[in-house]
Amino acid sequence: MIDITIAPDQQALAQLAAERFIRIANQAIEQRGQFSAAVSGGSTPKALHHQLAASNRQIQIDWQATHIFWGDERGVPPDHPDSNYRMVQETLLDQIKIPADNIHRIQGELPPEQAAAVYQSELFHFFAPNNPRFDLVILGLGTDGHTASLFPHTSALNKTALWVTENQAVQLDRWRITLTAKAINAARQVIFLVSGEGKAEILKTVLEGPHLPQDYPVQRINPANGKIFWLIDEKASQQLRNI
Ligand code: 6PG
């Protein structure tokens, strides 16, 4: 059974996501003393970050015990306009008091394979002695069915032994570094944030259509010991029938 919540609009979606983020964070800190979250790139998460940065909400999270990772990054320096790090820095990190050591940036400025290897080592160092297991992974959905930088019919889909890998999609003009499905599926909780009528068709395809994980890599996301929550807005839900 897929857990889907439909919010009336993008603002309500962001508020819902912020409330769930805070709940998961506090539960993790209470149970394990820390909270590890991999945030997403793209535009949809910006509204969530603004909600989390709001004064009445940011005080609800112990940022000293919170560690921010990224689900993926573009092969660019951290100050590049396309950098996912820069987007999260501007919309969230600059507004909260979080220790620099708690920010685990993917070094997109490095050669792709090296950037992936360095980030994978950082994950194993942070989660040692266990395998990496995020308390929360935030993901978006591309109109081609990608999530993070797991694009259809690309090499990253076959790197099943890795936790982080470099990837390139034909339509992209640059490399990406991404968590693999293995890393995402190890998470305790995954939240998909999907907003806008432009996502209505792909959402119906991936949630109600056939299982074609090479065509629609988002269908590879299925945490073995974790939960997936789909937080979507009314416009994105328009073509769904089984809800
Ligand atoms: C990225 C994201 C990517 C994004 C989807 C949806 O680096 O761009 O990881 O997977 O989540 O493309 O993007 P929007 O939220 O902008 O629609």
Side-chain angles (χ1 to χ4, degrees), residues 40-45 72 74 84 140-142 146-149 176 199:
S40 172
S43 55
T44 307
D72 68 334
R74 289 81 182 277
N84 286 339
L141 173 64
H146 81 260
T147 193
S149 286
R176 297 283 190 101
K199 299 289 175 73

Side-chain angles (χ1 to χ4, degrees), residues 118-137:
V118 165
Y119 191 54
Q120 179 165 285
S121 300
E122 180 155 356
L123 293 188
F124 274 89
H125 176 72
F126 177 81
F127 287 101
N130 306 309
N131 281 336
R133 187 175 192 205
F134 292 104
D135 293 307
L136 174 62
V137 177

